[in-house]
Amino acid sequence: MEQLLRETLLASGTALLGIFLLPLALVRGPAEVAEPPQTPAADTALEQTEEAESPAAPHDRERTLRVLEGNTVREMTMEDYLFGVTAAEMPASFAEEALKAQAVAARTYTLYKLISGGNHGDTADICTDSTCCQAYIAPESARANWGENAESYTEKIRTAVAATDGEAILYGGVPILAVFHASSAGLTRAAGQVWQNDLPYLKPVDSPEAAESIPNYYSRVEFSPADLKQRLLAKIPGAELSGEKKNWLKNAVRDGADSVETVEVGGVTVRGTVVRAALGLRSACFEWELQDGNFVFYVTGHGHGVGLSQYGADAMAEAGADYREILTHYYTGVTVAVYAG
């Protein structure tokens, strides 16, 4: 779900000013308010959640979505869609509270797309392409993948969706852009460090990452000079990649998570995310060196690093945190409540 977020955030920044001036009950835009509230303590957030819930709010079975699968638009309930998204986006072996957090994040992201107009105009509300919206897997395909665990995993996913029925992550009473990623480098990133605009609820926070149990948490990629040059020039045509190879990439500026914010590539300063995309690296938390004439990159984590870390959420759940504590940790200044919009 990383691609196209750059465009979404840019559009969000333009739309936010108008949203600030509307009553919350009429908001039809990104989750923002004029003055961001202070980050609530866990007990305060839970108290606000209980007060905000409304039995009249439309819950998952009562909300129908138009979902684009390939070239076909299918209608399904929010409940059925969230089963497929949660099953596709997070391993069903994860702790129940982590799965609940994922279900709420997926529901919130979907509501945000419904409010903001999404990427598909009048054709569909959302799609099943993970490079555009969120990943999705049909229940029968998920069961086939789970094999002997099909029954128990199906029940875990259905419970995660049902137990959080209608709940969303709210900032100023409006669903947020609830982006998520697989694993961070111990600290998540601000939206503005990855895309063009900052959002008050997408701030860096500590993230417990059990590196030893995360597949490919540390990865290594090697490129010949010719391959590296071709890949980088495709994204950065103005780069001058000649002369001493040690000067092709230099002057990296890093954030608190040690991710590359900017780096000079052939005399052109670009964001680390541009290099990540050009080279297909698992994250922008990378280092490099020359070995026997080739460029070797060492990468930590997986994903853009903004918002919920899925492996971090699982670690928090295993340590005893519930899904609301997980969500209010990863998204700054939010509440978790049934959304009545």
Side-chain angles (χ1 to χ4, degrees):
M1 62 177 291
E2 297 180 32
Q3 298 184 20
L4 297 185
L5 285 173
R6 192 173 284 111
E7 297 178 8
T8 301
L9 280 164
L10 181 59
S12 297
T14 303
L16 289 178
L17 291 175
I19 291 170
F20 293 159
L21 303 177
L22 293 174
L24 289 178
L26 297 178
V27 168
R28 288 297 180 267
E32 266 286 14
V33 295
E35 297 182 2
Q38 297 297 316
T39 304
D43 55 349
T44 304
L46 290 175
E47 181 179 353
Q48 291 174 339
T49 296
E50 292 169 359
E51 292 176 353
E53 292 182 359
S54 167
H59 291 191
D60 295 342
R61 290 186 182 180
E62 300 160 4
R63 193 186 294 271
T64 301
L65 300 175
R66 298 169 300 154
V67 181
L68 180 63
E69 292 186 90
N71 295 320
T72 303
V73 176
R74 292 181 51 207
E75 286 194 353
M76 64 180 75
T77 65
M78 176 75 84
E79 180 181 51
D80 290 339
Y81 173 68
L82 290 178
F83 177 93
V85 172
T86 306
E89 290 284 7
M90 179 174 278
S93 59
F94 275 20
E96 292 180 1
E97 295 302 310
L99 289 166
K100 290 178 185 177
Q102 178 65 66
V104 176
R107 182 185 294 108
T108 305
Y109 183 86
T110 305
L111 290 170
Y112 179 91
K113 288 294 184 180
L114 289 172
I115 293 169
S116 63
N119 302 329
H120 303 287
D122 295 332
T123 302
D125 299 315
I126 203 157
C127 75
T128 61
D129 181 355
S130 63
T131 66
C132 179
C133 295
Q134 300 177 111
Y136 172 90
I137 187 171
E140 59 272 16
S141 298
R143 291 176 64 89
N145 291 345
W146 292 330
E148 63 182 17
N149 294 314
E151 291 299 327
S152 62
Y153 284 178
T154 296
E155 181 60 27
K156 281 183 73 176
I157 301 295
R158 292 205 183 283
T159 298
V161 174
T164 62
D165 187 20
E167 291 187 41
I169 309 161
L170 308 176
Y171 188 88
V174 183
I176 68 169
L177 178 60
V179 293
F180 47 86
H181 60 283
S183 58
S184 74
L187 183 74
T188 65
R189 307 187 72 192
Q193 293 174 318
V194 178
W195 303 301
Q196 292 188 7
N197 294 329
D198 267 318
L199 289 171
Y201 47 80
L202 294 177
K203 299 294 186 185
V205 298
D206 291 331
S207 182
E209 308 284 345
E212 67 282 354
S213 63
I214 300 175
N216 299 310
Y217 184 69
Y218 300 111
S219 55
R220 178 186 183 276
V221 189
E222 185 170 345
F223 300 95
S224 69
D227 188 17
L228 183 87
K229 183 176 183 177
Q230 181 181 19
R231 289 169 181 263
L232 290 176
L233 287 178
K235 290 283 188 181
I236 315 165
E240 179 58 45
L241 300 178
S242 60
E244 291 191 59
K245 297 179 181 64
K246 67 179 182 180
N247 293 324
W248 286 14
L249 292 92
K250 62 183 182 179
N251 299 330
V253 176
R254 300 180 180 275
D255 62 18
D258 209 29
S259 292
V260 176
E261 285 205 41
T262 62
V263 60
E264 189 177 321
V265 179
V268 180
T269 299
V270 298
R271 285 181 177 245
T273 52
V274 174
V275 174
R276 180 203 170 195
L279 302 182
L281 305 179
R282 287 171 63 84
S283 83
C285 184
F286 60 83
E287 298 178 348
W288 69 91
E289 65 180 4
L290 282 166
Q291 286 186 10
D292 300 323
N294 286 342
F295 289 85
V296 179
F297 287 77
Y298 302 95
V299 187
T300 302
H302 188 196
H304 49 62
V306 183
L308 176 78
S309 163
Q310 294 166 317
Y311 276 93
D314 190 48
M316 288 186 67
E318 291 290 356
D322 66 26
Y323 71 97
R324 287 171 173 169
E325 292 173 311
I326 293 169
L327 293 171
T328 54
H329 173 74
Y330 280 105
Y331 302 105
T332 302
V334 302
T335 55
V336 179
V338 170
Y339 179 60

